[in-house]
């Protein structure tokens, strides 16, 4: 049994979608980051960086933070959504790291400056919006001729998808990125994604592009 500490954000949804996809039983512990619950001493023992998501695997007592590490761990634990060895494994990890180091942090800055603080810094809005479009273009190119980022559905898709699901916050028109739009809508229809998206609570349906 896994304990999942999470909230209604892209990083949190990576973990809940993964748990739904692999079918491991889990208990949800909502950590409301708008109420600073991520700074509670009990949560800090599990996630020393005071950010969600985090898990505890009660089979071995291990606590883990950082969504990329959580995805790799759960994939290895179950033998699902990540090849055990070889090029397929490292390509899926490569694109998961691309999300962790690029797509997520850059889109996070777009959310901060463009959605929540418009007008505070024209420079930051322009810089991060431009970078967001560059990253969408990279993803669109990677998806050319492929159903999923690395061919087969993998942790790389689960890492990237929840960030793309905020395309409206980013003022990104998915019609400019047809491969991303196809990939996004295909994944949105998966029952595990529909379910994981609503953890720890239902915030409404998955946004769909026009
Ligand atoms: N690199 C971390 C980032 C986690 C992260 O930034 N989580 C956000 C929610 S998406 C959070 O907990 N924010 C709380 C805060 O900023 O205090 C991961 O991928 O797990």
């Amino acid at each position: 049994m896994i304990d999942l500490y999470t909230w209604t954000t892209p990083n949190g949804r990576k973990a809940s979608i993964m748990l739904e996809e692999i079918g491991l039983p889990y208990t949800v512990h909502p950590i409301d980051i708008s109420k600073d619950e991520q700074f509670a001493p009990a949560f800090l023992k599990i996630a020393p960086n005071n950010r969600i998501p985090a898990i505890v695997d009660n089979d071995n007592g291990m606590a883990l933070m950082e969504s990329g590490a959580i995805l790799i761990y759960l994939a290895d634990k179950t033998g699902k959504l990540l090849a055990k060895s070889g090029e397929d494994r490292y390509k899926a990890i490569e694109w998961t790291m691309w999300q962790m180091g690029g797509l997520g942090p850059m889109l996070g800055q777009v959310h901060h400056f463009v959605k929540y603080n418009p007008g505070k810094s024209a420079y930051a809005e322009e810089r991060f919006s431009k970078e967001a479009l560059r990253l969408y273009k990279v993803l669109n190119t990677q998806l050319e001729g492929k159903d999923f980022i690395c061919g087969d559905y993998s942790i790389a898709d689960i890492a990237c998808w929840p960030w793309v699901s905020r395309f409206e916050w980013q003022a990104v028109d998915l019609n400019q990125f047809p491969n991303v739009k196809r990939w996004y809508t295909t994944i949105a229809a998966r029952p595990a994604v529909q379910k994981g998206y609503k953890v720890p609570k239902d915030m409404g349906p998955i946004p769909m592009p026009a």
Side-chain angles (χ1 to χ4, degrees):
M1 174 69 88
I2 302 286
D3 281 314
L4 169 64
Y5 298 80
T6 192
W7 193 240
T8 57
T9 70
N11 288 321
R13 286 176 179 145
K14 288 184 222 170
S16 50
I17 288 170
M18 180 68 179
L19 283 160
E20 292 295 336
E21 290 282 10
I22 60 183
L24 270 189
Y26 64 105
T27 305
V28 179
H29 304 270
I31 302 290
D32 185 344
I33 61 173
S34 70
K35 292 187 180 147
D36 282 351
E37 290 177 3
Q38 70 274 33
F39 297 105
F43 181 63
L44 278 179
K45 286 199 182 127
I46 296 163
N49 194 37
N50 52 259
R51 295 202 161 189
I52 62 92
I55 60 167
V56 174
D57 184 343
N58 292 292
D59 290 347
N60 54 23
M62 187 172 76
L64 208 56
M65 63 173 188
E66 286 296 323
S67 57
I70 292 169
L71 290 175
I72 294 169
Y73 175 74
L74 292 174
D76 284 347
K77 181 178 171 77
T78 56
K80 293 180 180 169
L81 299 173
L82 178 63
K84 285 190 177 53
S85 62
E87 185 170 347
D88 287 353
R89 178 179 179 83
Y90 296 106
K91 284 288 156 190
I93 291 176
E94 174 184 61
W95 283 92
T96 301
M97 293 302 142
W98 176 80
Q99 183 284 311
M100 292 295 292
L103 190 72
M106 293 302 110
L107 296 185
Q109 297 301 325
V110 176
H111 297 173
H112 180 79
F113 286 106
V114 175
K115 172 158 172 78
Y116 286 114
N117 295 286
K120 289 231 174 101
S121 170
Y123 174 76
E125 284 182 53
E126 190 196 333
R127 174 177 165 80
F128 293 117
S129 294
K130 200 171 153 201
E131 177 65 357
L133 291 177
R134 188 190 70 79
L135 290 161
Y136 269 87
K137 190 169 169 223
V138 170
L139 183 57
N140 197 62
T141 303
Q142 175 65 12
L143 284 164
E144 185 70 44
K146 289 190 206 72
D147 287 342
F148 299 106
I149 294 174
C150 298
D152 292 334
Y153 187 55
S154 75
I155 60 166
D157 301 290
I158 295 175
C160 294
W161 185 89
W163 282 98
V164 173
S165 79
R166 293 250 158 109
F167 64 91
E168 291 164 331
W169 290 23
Q170 299 145 16
V172 167
D173 176 6
L174 287 189
N175 292 304
Q176 286 181 18
F177 305 99
N179 297 327
V180 176
K181 183 181 176 185
R182 167 185 49 77
W183 165 87
Y184 174 76
T185 52
T186 301
I187 293 176
R190 293 176 70 90
V193 173
Q194 298 269 345
K195 220 167 152 202
Y197 186 83
K198 296 189 169 143
V199 174
K201 61 177 179 173
D202 190 349
M203 300 293 285
I206 291 173
M208 294 310 282

